[in-house]
Amino acid sequence: MLPSVEVDPWRFCRDAQSWEIQSDVAAFPRLAHEFTQGALFCRVVGRVDQRGSLSLHVSISGEVGLTCQRCLGNMPYTVGLERTLYLARNEAELERLDALPGSDAIQAGERLSLVELVEDEVLLSLPLAPMHAEGECSIRGAQ
């Protein structure tokens, strides 16, 4: 299991800090229940843009295994996420940032768990009901 990595998100961004890890999905507490196997490479970089807005650039990639909901067999799945998340201090700022075109924002407090942030982003990217393409299930009759 991965140790918790908690940062001050405001300082992390202002100081342009970064964090990266390559790990088996079983090491992520909440991802271990979703995947049958695989590994992820994760990178989080703090940034300050030209307007002075603080953001986290999150990159996650890897090959993992999901359980097909049609045949219950292993299904290879490629994770490929690139997302910039702006930091908001309160609900009003969160709404303002979310209203900008192509903008995603999170309300950040004094501490932020980078492991939980990565888990959240991966979980939000998963298909609702993962299934092999028609005709690719491993069990006959599961089509």
Side-chain angles (χ1 to χ4, degrees):
M1 184 164 302
L2 290 175
S4 179
V5 179
E6 288 199 1
V7 298
D8 172 339
W10 309 99
R11 175 175 280 153
F12 190 85
C13 292
R14 278 193 306 272
D15 295 348
Q17 295 179 23
S18 66
W19 171 77
E20 65 182 39
I21 190 166
Q22 183 162 353
S23 179
D24 191 84
V25 291
F28 291 88
R30 294 184 305 163
L31 300 183
H33 302 291
E34 297 295 326
F35 300 115
T36 58
Q37 61 190 14
L40 294 173
F41 174 76
C42 313
R43 182 172 173 83
V44 180
V45 179
R47 296 182 176 169
V48 180
D49 70 11
Q50 62 274 16
R51 297 182 322 247
S53 297
L54 303 179
S55 65
L56 298 167
H57 183 77
V58 181
S59 304
I60 306 166
S61 60
E63 298 292 325
V64 297
L66 290 171
T67 300
C68 171
Q69 297 303 299
R70 184 179 289 135
C71 70
L72 301 180
N74 186 55
M75 184 181 101
Y77 183 78
T78 301
V79 175
L81 296 168
E82 294 279 337
R83 177 160 292 142
T84 298
L85 301 169
Y86 288 92
L87 301 185
R89 292 193 183 278
N90 53 47
E91 191 69 33
E93 190 175 11
L94 181 67
E95 288 178 20
R96 181 184 62 78
L97 289 169
D98 269 341
L100 298 173
S103 175
D104 288 313
I106 59 171
Q107 190 169 342
E110 294 179 18
R111 305 299 298 161
L112 177 70
S113 168
L114 297 179
V115 172
E116 288 179 11
L117 176 69
V118 164
E119 288 176 323
D120 288 345
E121 292 303 314
V122 170
L123 291 170
L124 288 169
S125 75
L126 294 178
L128 198 52
M131 287 185 269
H132 288 104
E134 196 69 34
E136 292 183 9
C137 282
S138 59
I139 299 174
R140 284 201 185 294
Q143 320 288 326

